[in-house]
Amino acid sequence: AIERPSRAVDGRYYTMTARDISERLGGMGEIFRRAGDKITTIGIGDGGNELGMGKVRESVVSNIPHGAIIAADVSADLLVSCGVSNWGGQAIAAGLAALQTCSVHDRYRRKGIGKHSPRLVADFILSPEKDRELHEWLRGAGFRDGCTGRTDLTVDGLDYNEVHSKILQDLSHVVNED
C-alpha cells in the first residue's frame, strides 16, 4: 500500500493534520491483517498515518505532530518511510528497473523467473514529463494536495517544479546512468 491511510488505535482514519476521514475509507487494513504469514505486505508512507506505519507506531506518537491521534495501528512486513510517499514508490520502481537490467543479478533473475526479455525503464517509472502530465490532469480534475488541501501543482505541499520534479529527474538519471 502506498499513501493509504490506516486505522488508528481508536478505529478511525485520519489525515496527517488529524482530520477524520473515516466516512470515506473502507477496511483496507483488513487485507494486511489477513495476509498473515502467507503474503508479504509492504507499506509506503510519509506521515505516520499510512498502512504499514504501525511498524513504527511509537516513533510516530513521539515525533510526529498529532502522532497520538493519527498513528497507524496496522503494520506491514516491509516498511518504506520517506519524505514523500510518491518518492518512495518511485524509488522502488527505479530499483526494480535497475535490477532487471543488472548483469550481476541476471543469473538470479533467470533462476527465479526463467528467461525473460528485459523491459524498458519507462515500463517501471514515469519520466518527469509524464509525471507532470499526470499531475496536471489530476489538478484539472479537482484532486487536491494532501497537505495543503488546494489544487495547486504541489506534492505534499512542495512545489512540483522546484522540488518534486527534481527528485524524479535524479531517479531517472540513476536508472538511465546519464
Side-chain angles (χ1 to χ4, degrees):
I2 181 168
E3 193 65 25
R4 175 69 183 194
S6 169
R7 182 191 72 209
V9 292
D10 67 0
R12 310 293 294 168
Y13 296 79
Y14 297 96
T15 65
M16 282 179 58
T17 58
R19 186 168 43 93
D20 189 333
I21 54 173
S22 302
E23 71 283 351
R24 291 189 271 162
L25 296 173
M28 182 73 162
E30 189 61 25
I31 293 172
F32 272 51
R33 281 188 291 285
R34 288 186 182 201
D37 294 334
K38 298 175 192 160
I39 301 171
T40 300
T41 56
I42 303 171
I44 303 172
D46 57 19
N49 64 320
E50 298 90 355
L51 276 173
M53 295 293 274
K55 191 173 193 88
V56 293
R57 187 177 188 296
E58 292 308 315
S59 290
V60 171
V61 169
S62 299
N63 299 297
I64 301 293
H66 313 292
I69 298 168
I70 70 165
D73 193 37
V74 179
S75 190
D77 297 313
L78 304 171
L79 175 63
V80 177
S81 179
C82 38
V84 174
S85 293
N86 302 40
W87 301 344
Q90 288 279 10
I92 290 172
L96 290 170
L99 184 62
Q100 71 94 34
T101 60
C102 174
S103 59
V104 173
H105 290 92
D106 184 55
R107 67 181 170 156
Y108 301 110
R109 197 174 43 254
R110 282 193 321 264
K111 187 175 182 179
I113 62 173
K115 185 163 174 55
H116 80 292
S117 299
R119 301 184 65 134
L120 300 173
V121 169
D123 290 339
F124 290 88
I125 60 173
L126 291 175
S127 68
E129 297 77 26
K130 285 286 186 190
D131 188 77
R132 181 184 175 86
E133 190 178 310
L134 172 64
H135 278 81
E136 289 282 4
W137 181 87
L138 291 168
R139 179 179 170 205
F143 284 77
R144 299 177 179 278
D145 182 297
C147 289
T148 68
R150 300 190 325 235
T151 58
D152 299 337
L153 192 57
T154 56
V155 177
D156 283 357
L158 303 171
D159 183 82
Y160 187 90
N161 296 313
E162 295 297 316
V163 181
H164 185 71
S165 68
K166 290 182 175 162
I167 297 290
L168 296 182
Q169 287 170 358
D170 289 347
L171 282 171
S172 182
H173 291 310
V174 167
V175 173
N176 292 310
E177 297 183 42
D178 54 54

